[in-house]
Amino acid sequence: MGPHGPALAIASGVALHTLDRRTLHRLPREGKKREKPFFLWTSFPDPHPPYTVPEPWASMYDPEEMEPGEVVPGEHDLNAPHFSKTQELEPDFAGWHDPHEAHGCDSHLYPKDELKKDMAAYYGMMSFLDREVGRILDYLDAEGMTEDTLVVFTTDHGHFLGQHGLVAKGPFHYEDMLRIPFIVSWPGRVPEGHVSKAIQSLLDLTPTFLEVTGLGPAPELQGVSQLQTWLGTGPDARGFAICENRHNPVMPHVTTYVEDRFKISVYRTEEHGELFDLEEDPTEINNLWHDPDSQSLKTQMLLRMLQGVQSSEPLKSPRVAQA
């Protein structure tokens, strides 16, 4: 760890070459790297629409070899109405777009051939990212900083390339959107090659980094430190995660509670919702929200969801009086 503690570096999301150069420029140089720890957050805008990427990545993958996802006939009959509307040519989302555009609340009908081209470009973007992030890691190796640097690679959300008939993010809390890449590297501390099933949240990054640097914990934060989970020296830090979409103040407004096996989604203005058994139905086709045999499970999940929200609320300031 060294006299000043570990250094931190984070890469998130595909690299534009200018961002990569700026990252390398801000990393400590030889002779200065041990003066004090550093924290660097490198955020890349791609992979993301529009699906454009320079050569050779633009031609790296053949669109004809791509296999986009597809909607399963009838799957949205069990879901809230806005899912079925995405499969209409000119859907009416009316109040959902007031006062601002509600992202994803539009038609998701899209020619399959065009989707295959987008998917090939998306893969090319990811390969571009792999190369550019590799340059950052190579720099850490060359400067002898790898052993003392915690690197976390993640992103803000997933994406749809035809899965469930969707081609854009929005109030559709499938695992395609919520289960994101998450890689942690810290040689000699984080076990290499280990795949963990522990539930993680992006809210956990800040409290984890605070603990790594010896500055935590911070009781006003919603997240929990995942350090012991990453190091493999303690139990899982959390048993659930809560994900929200509040693109507009009221509509659409969806909150999802996720456990190892089950997940449930509730809408602020809808009687509909989603309840999925991720063990029996990993592709999330069979929504159990209205299933008569699953009403007891739904009640239990709603209770655990409310308790999860309550336990996640931070204490803004310590109590100073009894009353």
Side-chain angles (χ1 to χ4, degrees), residues 58-78:
S59 305
M60 186 170 287
Y61 298 94
D62 184 356
E64 293 305 312
E65 295 181 356
M66 299 295 103
E67 297 182 7
E70 295 180 330
V71 62
V72 174
E75 69 168 291
H76 292 318
D77 294 345
L78 300 172

Side-chain angles (χ1 to χ4, degrees), residues 41-310:
W41 182 287
T42 302
S43 185
F44 305 108
D46 288 335
H48 194 281
Y51 299 105
T52 56
V53 63
E55 294 291 359
W57 297 277
S59 305
M60 186 170 287
Y61 298 94
D62 184 356
E64 293 305 312
E65 295 181 356
M66 299 295 103
E67 297 182 7
E70 295 180 330
V71 62
V72 174
E75 69 168 291
H76 292 318
D77 294 345
L78 300 172
N79 296 337
H82 65 279
F83 286 85
S84 294
K85 288 182 179 180
T86 64
Q87 305 306 297
E88 300 174 7
L89 187 60
E90 296 182 358
D92 179 15
F93 280 95
W96 283 49
H97 286 276
D98 296 327
H100 308 289
E101 176 189 5
H103 199 101
C105 295
D106 205 339
S107 176
H108 285 239
L109 297 179
Y110 197 68
K112 187 173 182 179
D113 287 345
E114 294 300 313
L115 187 57
K116 294 172 74 171
K117 293 178 183 177
D118 288 349
M119 192 171 183
Y122 198 93
Y123 279 23
M125 290 176 174
M126 289 190 288
S127 291
F128 189 10
L129 168 65
D130 184 63
R131 202 285 297 269
E132 297 301 297
V133 171
R135 294 179 68 234
I136 299 173
L137 300 180
D138 288 345
Y139 178 86
L140 295 177
D141 284 342
E143 293 293 318
M145 292 188 289
T146 298
E147 299 299 319
D148 294 321
T149 303
L150 169 64
V151 179
V152 178
F153 176 91
T154 187
T155 186
D156 54 347
H157 56 75
H159 193 54
F160 296 103
L161 287 165
Q163 295 85 353
H164 307 283
L166 303 173
V167 295
K169 65 181 180 182
F172 321 109
H173 281 188
Y174 291 112
E175 292 296 273
D176 308 84
M177 179 65 58
L178 305 185
R179 187 180 292 267
I180 60 176
F182 202 98
I183 302 173
V184 178
S185 175
W186 196 3
R189 296 171 176 84
V190 173
E192 296 185 9
H194 175 67
V195 178
S196 173
K197 294 183 179 180
I199 295 176
Q200 312 271 319
S201 170
L202 294 179
L203 292 173
D204 300 337
L205 289 176
T206 299
T208 304
F209 297 151
L210 288 175
E211 182 175 0
V212 168
T213 58
L215 299 176
E220 69 275 11
L221 297 176
Q222 287 182 300
V224 298
S225 174
Q226 294 280 353
L227 181 58
Q228 300 308 313
T229 303
W230 294 357
L231 299 179
T233 57
D236 291 353
R238 58 166 67 246
F240 66 90
I242 295 175
C243 305
E244 296 183 286
N245 181 301
R246 298 191 187 186
H247 204 272
N248 280 345
V250 178
M251 300 181 298
H253 182 163
V254 55
T255 301
T256 299
Y257 173 86
V258 187
E259 296 180 342
D260 288 333
R261 177 170 179 177
F262 299 105
K263 66 186 292 189
I264 191 167
S265 298
V266 177
Y267 296 87
R268 180 171 176 174
T269 59
E270 300 282 337
E271 294 184 0
H272 299 272
E274 289 94 57
L275 174 62
F276 290 110
D277 184 338
L278 300 177
E279 184 176 298
E280 297 294 329
D281 180 29
T283 55
E284 300 174 280
I285 302 301
N286 184 30
N287 181 8
L288 302 173
W289 182 267
H290 294 295
D291 176 41
D293 296 332
S294 301
Q295 296 311 294
S296 176
L297 172 64
K298 183 169 79 171
T299 299
Q300 296 174 36
M301 288 295 291
L302 288 172
L303 175 60
R304 299 208 291 267
M305 179 184 194
L306 178 56
Q307 292 173 333
V309 171
Q310 290 175 328

Side-chain angles (χ1 to χ4, degrees), residues 10-25:
I10 307 172
S12 169
V14 152
L16 294 180
H17 199 60
T18 54
L19 287 177
D20 186 45
R21 289 200 304 268
R22 290 168 61 187
T23 298
L24 295 177
H25 177 72

